[in-house]
């Protein structure tokens, strides 16, 4: 007889951790399986740490709804549990005349998504707020900010554990097979291969989430779940730029990302990035030849930047459903009823704003799990 558990969560990134905390609160028997030696070693620790307002995404998309809800939950969580953050505000800048219409569109879009505090800025208003930025106009988002994502991850982990969730590190999920209304889940750890039975499986496997769906025999191509890896690299600016801006400064968005932006960390360090380059493999090395691209892109709105002041920092990889040149794709958060796998919940394509949306995603998944146990 195999051991039976209620809920198996695959992945201990911010989404798996937040979901474990949410579900364990409902007193269910929750296990989190993580292939790495500890939590948060992949995308959740390789990002901009920005609390996004929810401006960019189509109205009624999960990205828009869960970002707006997640932002407010996250600020409350940080306040209540002393997780460091700063509501810096953010300005999207139009470096030339042609980009002004894009700011107006973003203003409209943000409003539709429930981001009600946006303000269009003239060149003079922008200059008053950010004297070192050269641009024709700006869009101010006062509710954007940055947070200490590592402390958030540790907090979610310890709360999930306190509520009874159990974490199994160094353990990779390698098979998911239907066993009546449940699943036989195969795992591999340093002692070999073993299996257990789970009533519900929640796939929070980030860059591997399409492969997990495939393990459960979902035709990933047909379901539209194939992930494309899109690398985002960062360069830091030397300490002489410490106070060069007070807010996050973003260019108008690109097709695959938010554009190379300027962020100021909680420690005051200034960072540029990320860019957006589709890649075939997971490799976190920063390509130094990108330095000039970063420099040219930043120079458009931060003229004081000098090429020699840029140093390669780190990279992350976006798990994107949207391939190169393709149209917007939303998060997939689905109970796989149509695949006759009703208690498999897949979370696929959880790229930005996944960190911001994490508490709202956890609630969303928590409700799905509750329905399965009703
Ligand atoms: C460059 C970049 C910048 C970003 N900036 C922001 C930002 O500023 N603000 C924001 O809101 N969002 C941002 N994001 C998005 C955000 O980082 C992600 O949405 C979020 O971290 C996704 O978390 P996750 O838990 O789904 O994935 P991950 O953190 O990747 O966690 C998935 C986990 O699953 C584990 N796993 C995979 N397969 C298996 C298996 N078979 N068995 C066991 N475990 C497995 C992995 O080891 C991993 O630990 C950014 C992303 C990138 C790449």
């Amino acid at each position: 007889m195999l051991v039976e558990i209620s809920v198996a969560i695959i992945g201990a990134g911010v989404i798996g951790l937040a979901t474990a905390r949410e579900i364990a609160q409902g007193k269910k028997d929750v296990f989190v399986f993580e292939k790495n030696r500890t939590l948060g070693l992949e995308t959740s620790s390789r990002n901009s740490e920005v609390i996004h307002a929810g401006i960019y995404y189509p109205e009624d998309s999960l990205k828009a709804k869960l970002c707006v809800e997640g932002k407010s939950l996250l600020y409350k969580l940080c306040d209540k549990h002393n997780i460091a953050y700063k509501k810096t505000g953010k300005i999207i800048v139009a470096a030339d005349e042609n980009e002004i219409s894009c700011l107006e569109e973003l203003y409209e879009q943000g409003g539709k998504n429930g981001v009600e505090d946006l303000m269009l800025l003239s060149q003079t208003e922008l200059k008053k707020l950010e004297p070192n930025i050269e641009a024709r106009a700006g869009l101010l988002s006062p509710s954007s900010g940055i947070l200490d994502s590592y402390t958030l991850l540790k907090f979610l982990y310890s709360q999930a554990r306190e509520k009874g969730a159990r974490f199994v590190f160094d353990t990779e999920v390698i098979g998911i097979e239907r066993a009546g209304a449940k699943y036989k889940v195969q795992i591999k750890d340093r002692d070999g291969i073993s299996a257990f039975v789970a009533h519900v499986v929640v796939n929070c496997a980030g860059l591997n989430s399409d492969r997990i769906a495939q393990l459960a025999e979902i035709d990933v191509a047909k379901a539209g779940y194939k992930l494309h890896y899109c690398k985002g690299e960062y360069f830091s600016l030397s300490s002489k730029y410490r106070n060069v801006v007070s807010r996050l400064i973003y260019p108008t968005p690109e097709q695959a990302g938010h554009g190379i932006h300027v962020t100021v960390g909680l420690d005051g360090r200034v960072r540029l990035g990320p860019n957006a380059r589709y890649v075939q493999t997971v490799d976190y090395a920063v390509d130094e030849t990108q330095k000039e691209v970063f420099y040219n892109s930043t120079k458009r709105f931060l003229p004081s930047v000098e090429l020699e002041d840029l140093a390669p920092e780190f990279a992350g990889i976006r798990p994107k459903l949207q391939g190169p040149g393709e149209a917007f794709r939303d998060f997939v958060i689905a109970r796989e009823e149509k695949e006759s796998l009703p208690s498999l919940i897949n979370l696929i394509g959880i790229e930005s704003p996944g960190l911001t949306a994490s508490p709202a995603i956890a609630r969303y998944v928590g409700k799905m799990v509750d329905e399965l146990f009703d």
Side-chain angles (χ1 to χ4, degrees):
M1 271 297 267
L2 293 177
V3 170
E4 281 203 20
I5 65 171
S6 303
V7 183
I9 295 177
I10 308 169
V14 71
I15 303 299
L17 293 167
T19 304
R21 171 179 177 259
E22 182 75 26
I23 299 175
Q25 270 172 351
K27 309 270 183 290
K28 282 174 204 84
D29 183 21
V30 179
F31 282 75
V32 182
F33 296 89
E34 168 55 57
K35 67 178 166 56
N36 292 326
R37 68 183 157 75
T38 188
L39 57 100
L41 291 184
E42 302 205 350
T43 312
S44 297
S45 54
R46 297 177 164 277
N47 58 62
S48 304
E49 301 188 297
V50 172
I51 301 179
H52 286 297
I55 304 168
Y56 300 95
Y57 324 102
E59 192 182 358
D60 292 331
S61 62
L62 284 177
K63 283 185 180 172
K65 286 195 279 198
L66 297 173
C67 183
V68 172
E69 184 188 337
K71 169 184 65 176
S72 129
L73 291 173
L74 204 49
Y75 278 128
K76 281 188 200 136
L77 197 79
C78 290
D79 276 333
K80 192 165 169 199
H81 300 284
N82 285 324
I83 299 166
Y85 76 90
K86 202 165 166 194
K87 210 184 245 184
T88 50
K90 144 176 166 175
I91 304 180
I92 306 171
V93 297
D96 61 40
E97 208 71 34
N98 297 329
E99 292 178 355
I100 294 180
S101 60
C102 177
L103 297 186
E104 289 161 354
E105 283 165 25
L106 289 172
Y107 176 81
E108 293 286 321
Q109 189 60 58
K112 285 183 193 159
N113 294 350
V115 189
E116 280 151 8
D117 55 357
L118 297 176
M119 270 177 275
L120 285 163
L121 303 173
S122 68
Q123 191 164 21
T124 322
E125 288 166 331
L126 171 61
K127 201 78 192 158
K128 253 191 221 157
L129 294 178
E130 295 291 347
N132 295 317
I133 296 295
E134 284 300 332
R136 278 287 297 108
L139 176 64
L140 173 67
S141 164
S143 68
S144 305
I146 45 168
L147 90 156
D148 174 355
S149 59
Y150 182 69
T151 308
L152 173 70
L153 294 174
K154 295 288 278 184
F155 164 78
L156 295 172
Y157 172 62
S158 64
Q159 276 232 323
R161 279 180 19 133
E162 271 167 32
K163 291 178 193 312
R166 275 170 278 182
F167 285 78
V168 191
F169 292 110
D170 278 324
T171 302
E172 183 178 356
V173 171
I174 56 164
I176 301 174
E177 200 183 299
R178 255 201 95 131
K182 306 170 196 163
Y183 301 96
K184 179 178 163 195
V185 180
Q186 258 200 333
I187 49 175
K188 189 171 144 207
D189 60 19
R190 63 172 82 96
D191 296 325
I193 293 174
S194 54
F196 60 89
V197 169
H199 289 243
V200 175
V201 175
V202 187
N203 169 11
C204 302
L207 293 166
N208 263 341
S209 51
D210 57 344
R211 270 176 254 163
I212 294 289
Q214 204 163 20
L215 288 181
E217 292 189 347
I218 292 177
D219 182 336
V220 166
K222 205 165 137 207
Y225 288 175
K226 173 93 193 78
L227 285 176
H228 305 269
Y229 292 167
C230 184
K231 189 165 180 174
E233 293 157 307
Y234 294 85
F235 282 76
S236 59
L237 279 184
S238 67
S239 55
K240 76 180 191 209
Y241 296 90
R242 254 187 130 70
N243 296 313
V244 74
V245 290
S246 320
R247 295 164 188 78
L248 313 172
I249 307 292
Y250 279 57
T252 50
E254 298 167 348
Q255 192 257 345
H258 293 157
I260 294 173
H261 43 267
V262 182
T263 51
V264 190
L266 289 167
D267 55 0
R269 281 167 56 117
V270 181
R271 181 187 293 151
L272 308 179
N275 56 355
R277 296 196 294 126
Y278 283 94
V279 293
Q280 295 303 318
T281 51
V282 175
D283 167 7
Y284 293 118
V286 176
D287 177 0
E288 293 211 33
T289 65
Q290 292 293 312
K291 185 167 168 172
E292 205 129 343
V293 176
F294 275 69
Y295 167 72
N296 288 328
S297 151
T298 310
K299 186 101 185 152
R300 288 185 74 218
F301 55 86
L302 183 63
S304 60
V305 71
E306 302 286 353
L307 184 62
E308 62 269 22
D309 295 330
L310 273 71
E313 207 180 18
F314 70 92
I317 309 227
R318 303 169 181 89
K320 273 185 112 57
L321 287 164
Q322 177 191 344
E326 289 174 9
F328 170 85
R329 287 290 306 275
D330 205 358
F331 292 152
V332 167
I333 306 179
R335 264 181 65 186
E336 298 295 350
E337 280 153 318
K338 61 183 184 308
E339 302 280 350
S340 306
L341 298 162
S343 33
L344 169 65
I345 301 173
N346 274 323
L347 289 89
I348 303 179
I350 312 297
E351 51 160 334
S352 189
L355 179 67
T356 311
S358 57
I361 292 177
R363 272 195 181 175
Y364 192 86
V365 176
K367 281 192 195 124
M368 286 178 162
V369 173
D370 282 347
E371 281 164 21
L372 286 166
F373 283 97
D374 274 350

